[in-house]
Amino acid sequence: MYIFNRTRQAHPDHIFEAMTSSVEVAKKVTEVTGLEIHVWQTRFGAPVGTITWSCRLDSQAELHEATEKLAVDATYVDMAMSMASQYVGPAEDAMMRVVSGTPADTPSSFYVVTVASMANGKYAEAIEWGAAMQDYSCSALGAPGVFGTASYGGFAVVAWLMGRDSMTEVDAAADWEMSDAGYHERIQAASELFIPGSGHQRLIERLN
């Protein structure tokens, strides 16, 4: 399974318009392609107004087929062009191959997204550790989550997506990370598996 993301930065003067139209265009993409598109705003960890569209895919070929359908759909093209003034800068696409975990049928309301770059010569160990950490955290918290590797973009990048259904659950998970001895031991064991300073976290909220 793959998870595809397209991210854009809303124009500072049009953030609320962009949030509304981002959901509308997601509906159109689903109508044209049959792919279920979810829309996210970044709450913390990225510039205000960062909006991401995501979908799950069985293959990269499935994504290619979907983009070809969109390219020849005049209604979609007109809609996308009409939204151009609501954003600044280019869109950025990313794709993650799921290594472990099973996404919930309906995505959670919030996700903590953690990314890091594996150290040279440590790829196998880092992926094994990442999958084990995903399983440990999800089992302890009773929450959905996945771990995967980036297919494109930064080389040797991995990511964890941990679902939360409310900000109360976000707080509870943060408290657990601060207090759970098993979590601390596992983090310590990964000290040589990832490039120092490469880790980054953000919190995203689903808009549709």
Side-chain angles (χ1 to χ4, degrees), residues 86-109:
Q86 298 174 15
Y87 296 89
V88 293
E92 182 176 355
D93 289 349
M95 183 176 290
M96 181 182 86
R97 184 167 194 161
V98 175
V99 173
S100 67
T102 302
D105 291 338
T106 300
S108 299
S109 298

Side-chain angles (χ1 to χ4, degrees), residues 139-158:
S139 297
L141 295 168
V146 297
F147 166 73
T149 59
S151 300
Y152 300 100
F155 186 71
V157 172
V158 295

Side-chain angles (χ1 to χ4, degrees), residues 3-113:
I3 297 175
F4 170 77
N5 293 325
R6 171 165 292 176
T7 299
R8 290 209 71 181
Q9 180 64 37
H11 190 290
D13 295 335
H14 300 288
I15 290 177
F16 294 108
E17 295 170 63
M19 286 183 182
T20 299
S21 63
S22 67
V23 173
E24 293 172 353
V25 77
K27 291 180 181 178
K28 183 61 181 178
V29 173
T30 295
E31 176 187 319
V32 174
T33 66
L35 297 174
E36 188 172 5
I37 308 298
H38 296 288
V39 188
W40 309 85
Q41 64 167 324
T42 298
R43 283 293 190 178
F44 304 106
V48 173
T50 300
I51 296 174
T52 300
W53 295 264
S54 74
C55 66
R56 301 169 186 173
L57 302 156
D58 292 325
S59 67
Q60 296 183 56
E62 185 180 9
L63 177 62
H64 181 70
E65 180 182 348
T67 56
E68 289 190 322
K69 290 179 180 178
L70 290 172
V72 298
D73 188 280
T75 305
Y76 165 76
V77 172
D78 289 345
M79 179 182 287
M81 293 298 291
S82 70
M83 295 168 52
S85 64
Q86 298 174 15
Y87 296 89
V88 293
E92 182 176 355
D93 289 349
M95 183 176 290
M96 181 182 86
R97 184 167 194 161
V98 175
V99 173
S100 67
T102 302
D105 291 338
T106 300
S108 299
S109 298
F110 297 87
Y111 277 87
V112 175
V113 181

Side-chain angles (χ1 to χ4, degrees), residues 95-194:
M95 183 176 290
M96 181 182 86
R97 184 167 194 161
V98 175
V99 173
S100 67
T102 302
D105 291 338
T106 300
S108 299
S109 298
F110 297 87
Y111 277 87
V112 175
V113 181
T114 305
V115 299
S117 297
M118 298 181 286
N120 290 338
K122 299 290 185 179
Y123 297 168
E125 296 97 320
I127 290 174
E128 181 179 4
W129 180 91
M133 177 58 89
Q134 174 270 322
D135 181 68
Y136 180 77
S137 298
C138 288
S139 297
L141 295 168
V146 297
F147 166 73
T149 59
S151 300
Y152 300 100
F155 186 71
V157 172
V158 295
W160 295 260
L161 282 66
M162 307 300 290
R164 312 283 186 255
D165 285 327
S166 66
M167 285 302 297
T168 299
E169 289 190 6
V170 172
D171 282 332
D175 291 343
W176 174 80
E177 289 178 356
M178 290 292 292
S179 61
D180 185 78
Y183 179 83
H184 297 166
E185 290 172 2
R186 286 165 172 78
I187 292 293
Q188 185 63 34
S191 60
E192 297 182 356
L193 301 181
F194 299 92

